[in-house]
Amino acid sequence: MSVGGLAVRASAVVGIAVAQLRRAPGRTALTVLAVTLAVLSVTLLAGLGIGVIEKGEDGLDSADRDIWISSEPVDPAASGTENPIADSHGVTRAVTARDDIQSATPIAMHVVYVGTEPSDLERRSAVGVHETHDGFDFEEGGGFELDQEDVEAASGPSPDEVPSGEIVIDPRIAESHDVGVGDTIYVGASREGEGAREFTVVGISGHHSQYLGSPAVTVPLVDLQVVTGTAGTDRATFVTADVTEDADRDAVRDDLAEEYPEYDVRTSDEQVEAMIEERPIVLASGFTLVGLAVVGGVVLTANLFVLVTSQQREQLAALRALGLSRWLLAGTIGVQGLVVGLLGGLVGLAATPPIAAALNRLAASVVGFERLLRTSPEVYAAGFLLAVGVGTLVALVTGWRAGRYSRIEHLEE
């Protein structure tokens, strides 16, 4: 067949396909809407799965530390730990004294009881740090920074009272107890409130809550050790460190691992991998969401175009009776799939950002996770490929099969 003949046939196929779409505008609009929903199911579900997987990595990235020293057991599922590193300030001072270490600091994680009355406390997660940083994104107030003498106090006799008495609380805790910056709140190690200490609210932020998965409070490390009764042994969950600019991070890790064989010494990347391995359910949930998004989108799109082709059975039978070949019939359905896929894909991609932003705001307000849905360029590409690629391919296949069964008998139904 000549090039001119092919051009004429292609023009005829496109003309018939467009005529079919214009002949039933309601059906065309519904088909585009269905493809849009299929694209949204892929972009939103896959974005949610990727967000779940990357959430733990973000927590360590925000800490911006090169070396993590820890020890089993660590129970991240309970938002608390057994704080296995004893004499954490001693370990920190020894690590900081190295020429290849720029700075080091201990971090503790506990479960405490918080409330406005010592006799009415509720269970919350708590993180003990030396200072709050810019990444806290305070809704109100600010953070705290321990004086050096407060930090050094952990190396001396165990204090009876909290040295600082300052606390940063999650916005949901502030709302449930109707407290704000400057108000007093009690923190204790038991629900009964025995030994609970007074803290002054200096800031409201959900920084640590989004990584622990529940509303959390942040207090100075020494204060947290006093409240939980671990100041005497000076226990912490992690000792983190930054290496100097000219130091090799892996070499520093190996030296520290040899110096402290009782602890696990990891780089930040290795710590991310370890924490993800400790959360197989979270990892499985993320991959399951991505898998469901792709499989569900393909199944929905395939069923959609099979249904659309079935509804055109009489028209296809008429075209077949006029002598059009099966390839031309498949082409007309394929072009319809391409046009509908393009329209539905573009609408779906355009609708993804505002819907994802709304769902992220809802997730942040309900469960405290920010940026839970992450719609990367790869996610958009997967959605568009589903709409155009799968839509066109399924339309061609169903059009080819419809051409085989579209007979003159269908015109008599």
Side-chain angles (χ1 to χ4, degrees):
M1 182 180 296
S2 64
V3 175
L6 287 175
V8 171
R9 285 174 176 262
S11 177
V13 167
V14 173
I16 294 172
V18 173
Q20 288 285 83
L21 292 174
R22 296 177 59 184
R23 181 174 177 275
R27 183 179 65 194
T28 301
L30 289 175
T31 307
V32 171
L33 177 61
V35 173
T36 300
L37 294 177
V39 172
L40 286 174
S41 72
V42 171
T43 55
L44 297 179
L45 273 179
L48 177 60
I50 292 173
V52 168
I53 295 172
E54 293 183 350
K55 203 61 188 176
E57 185 176 353
D58 286 352
L60 295 183
D61 284 346
S62 67
D64 193 24
R65 308 296 281 181
D66 295 323
I67 302 293
W68 290 75
I69 301 175
S70 62
S71 180
E72 301 296 342
V74 175
D75 183 13
S79 296
T81 74
E82 296 185 12
N83 287 279
I85 301 179
D87 188 22
S88 61
H89 285 83
V91 174
T92 301
R93 284 192 293 274
V95 171
T96 307
R98 293 172 57 95
D99 293 336
D100 50 10
I101 293 294
Q102 181 176 338
S103 65
T105 183
I107 300 173
M109 301 168 66
H110 281 279
V111 171
V112 296
Y113 293 84
V114 178
T116 53
E117 296 294 336
S119 58
D120 184 20
L121 305 181
E122 60 182 15
R123 192 173 188 265
R124 298 296 184 185
S125 300
V127 179
V129 293
H130 277 166
E131 61 181 355
T132 52
H133 49 75
D134 295 338
F136 270 69
D137 192 20
F138 292 101
E139 293 187 6
E140 185 181 348
F144 55 78
E145 183 175 357
L146 295 184
D147 295 333
Q148 188 61 32
E149 53 266 29
D150 294 330
V151 177
E152 294 296 333
S155 64
S158 174
D160 295 327
E161 295 299 329
V162 292
S164 173
E166 296 181 340
I167 188 171
V168 174
I169 62 176
D170 181 89
R172 288 162 292 179
I173 297 177
E175 182 179 1
S176 64
H177 293 287
D178 191 23
V179 295
V181 173
D183 292 337
T184 298
I185 196 168
Y186 292 87
V187 181
S190 67
R191 189 180 302 278
E192 292 73 21
E194 183 178 356
R197 266 74 171 184
E198 287 187 10
F199 280 77
T200 301
V201 178
V202 296
I204 297 176
S205 168
H207 176 72
H208 282 128
S209 304
Q210 59 181 320
Y211 306 118
L212 296 176
S214 61
V217 299
T218 304
V219 295
L221 173 60
V222 180
D223 292 26
L224 182 59
Q225 290 178 333
V226 171
V227 169
T228 56
T230 59
T233 53
D234 187 17
R235 289 190 170 274
T237 311
F238 302 104
V239 171
T240 63
D242 279 339
V243 302
T244 56
E245 292 184 0
D246 57 346
D248 182 273
R249 190 176 60 169
D250 293 339
V252 174
R253 174 204 57 195
D254 294 339
D255 288 346
L256 289 174
E258 184 176 353
E259 186 174 352
Y260 299 99
E262 69 273 29
Y263 297 133
D264 299 317
V265 183
R266 302 184 178 99
T267 64
S268 56
D269 294 338
E270 293 169 342
Q271 185 64 27
V272 170
E273 295 176 1
M275 294 189 70
I276 289 177
E277 289 174 356
E278 289 172 355
R279 301 185 180 191
I281 295 178
V282 175
L283 193 63
S285 299
F287 283 116
T288 300
L289 286 171
V290 174
L292 284 176
V294 175
V295 174
V298 170
V299 171
L300 179 59
T301 305
N303 284 337
L304 170 67
F305 283 102
V306 169
L307 180 62
V308 169
T309 304
S310 175
Q311 291 179 339
Q312 299 181 55
R313 187 173 55 180
E314 291 185 8
Q315 292 85 347
L316 293 174
L319 293 172
R320 186 82 168 119
L322 292 174
L324 268 67
S325 68
R326 291 177 61 190
W327 284 112
L328 289 179
L329 293 181
T332 60
I333 299 298
V335 170
Q336 291 182 50
L338 176 62
V339 173
V340 171
L342 279 172
L343 293 175
L346 292 175
V347 174
L349 297 188
T352 295
I355 295 177
L359 292 175
N360 274 331
R361 286 195 295 271
L362 178 63
S365 63
V366 174
V367 297
F369 288 112
E370 295 182 355
R371 294 189 65 244
L372 190 56
L373 274 76
R374 308 204 175 178
T375 49
S376 63
E378 291 78 9
V379 170
Y380 285 105
F384 193 70
L385 179 63
L386 169 81
V388 178
V390 175
T392 304
L393 180 61
V394 172
L396 280 171
V397 173
T398 54
W400 170 260
R401 291 184 58 82
R404 180 178 180 183
Y405 296 106
S406 297
R407 302 177 185 283
I408 194 67
E409 292 82 1
H410 294 140
L411 297 174
E412 300 173 351
E413 293 178 354

